Amino acid sequence: TGFDHYCSHLVTTRSFSFTPKTETMKVAFCFAALVASASAFAPQASEGRASVALEAESSRRQAVGTVAAAAAAFLPAAANAAVGESPRFSVFGVIGDGTSYSEGAAYGSDQSAPVYSPYSVYSEAGEKSVYKPGTDADIARKNAILVESRKRLGLLPAYIEKKQWFNVKDELTRYMYETRGAVRGLASSTKQKEKADDFFKAIEETYLQAGLKNQGKCAAAAAKSVEALDAFTASL
């Protein structure tokens, strides 16, 4: 060990007269140093036992608090139970007792009219519906979307010329998110639906070529999308 090496160093590098008294002093010195070094690594038993005791006491208190909280949580349910009452349950508001606390009057049990699905709070579409497709107001709103979409498509050539591909993609996904719904809502005949498909394919090709940064093909697709939208609008 390091200590043995140190003692050996003392013996080999120092001049001592090898008298019995000197040998006794050297042995005593080495033994004292060895005891002092070993005591520094001795475990502190008293501190360890104290730490374990404190941790055990803390764990016991936490366990008692958890049990008490759990017991308190069940008190309201016990207070609401009636003697001799059968268990109440509800499965999606269709089977069982819809007044059970687990159901909470959901799945249509608190609605004034039947719902179209156990998972929804809405009734079937009818005369009292707020939104009614095909009305004059609905058609006017969709036509206004087509007019604005036509203006957005007119901005594409300049973006393509400047190779601003992010602007091309933004115009096709920002306001024109509503364009597809308006076109689908206005297309009623087979010919109109075919023209609508032609328009969708044109704007999808424009978006694709913008992502590929192909200027020539992107410009051609953008021009075709304008022609397709004009043809669809003329068919209405």
Side-chain angles (χ1 to χ4, degrees):
T1 62
F3 179 75
D4 295 333
H5 178 73
Y6 175 72
C7 291
S8 177
H9 177 73
L10 289 177
V11 173
T12 58
T13 59
R14 302 297 181 185
S15 297
F16 293 97
S17 57
F18 292 95
T19 62
K21 184 176 180 180
T22 303
E23 290 296 327
T24 302
M25 291 178 63
K26 289 195 295 182
V27 172
F29 172 77
C30 293
F31 180 76
L34 178 62
V35 172
S37 177
S39 63
F41 296 96
Q44 303 297 325
S46 59
E47 294 182 1
R49 286 194 293 269
S51 177
V52 171
L54 290 174
E55 291 179 0
E57 178 66 17
S58 176
S59 298
R60 184 183 68 80
R61 291 181 179 179
Q62 291 179 357
V64 172
T66 302
V67 172
F74 283 101
L75 288 178
N80 289 328
V83 178
E85 185 178 28
S86 300
R88 295 181 297 178
F89 67 94
S90 177
V91 181
F92 303 125
V94 179
I95 304 174
D97 184 4
T99 63
S100 62
Y101 294 140
S102 61
E103 193 62 43
Y107 300 109
S109 60
D110 60 346
Q111 302 296 316
S112 60
V115 295
Y116 77 91
S117 168
Y119 307 100
S120 174
V121 298
Y122 301 105
S123 302
E124 290 282 358
E127 296 180 356
K128 296 183 179 180
S129 299
V130 176
Y131 171 72
K132 296 179 180 180
T135 61
D136 293 341
D138 181 55
I139 295 175
R141 182 183 68 83
K142 292 175 179 177
N143 281 322
I145 292 175
L146 296 187
V147 172
E148 180 62 25
S149 298
R150 180 63 172 77
K151 294 179 182 179
R152 302 298 177 107
L153 291 176
L155 300 175
L156 297 184
Y159 295 146
I160 297 172
E161 181 67 24
K162 298 176 183 178
K163 297 184 179 180
Q164 296 179 352
W165 308 118
F166 62 94
N167 279 330
V168 175
K169 297 168 74 173
D170 284 349
E171 287 296 348
L172 294 173
T173 56
R174 192 166 46 192
Y175 176 85
M176 292 185 65
Y177 178 83
E178 299 288 339
T179 305
R180 188 179 293 268
V183 172
R184 289 293 188 198
L186 292 173
S188 56
S189 65
T190 302
K191 184 176 292 186
Q192 290 173 344
K193 292 179 180 179
E194 290 176 353
K195 293 182 180 299
D197 290 337
D198 292 339
F199 170 68
F200 296 148
K201 292 177 181 178
I203 60 175
E204 288 166 2
E205 180 68 14
T206 305
Y207 189 93
L208 174 63
Q209 297 304 328
L212 297 175
K213 299 181 181 180
N214 192 324
Q215 190 175 28
K217 291 184 178 181
C218 188
K224 186 175 180 180
S225 68
V226 173
E227 295 175 1
L229 180 60
D230 289 342
F232 172 78
T233 304
S235 67
L236 296 178

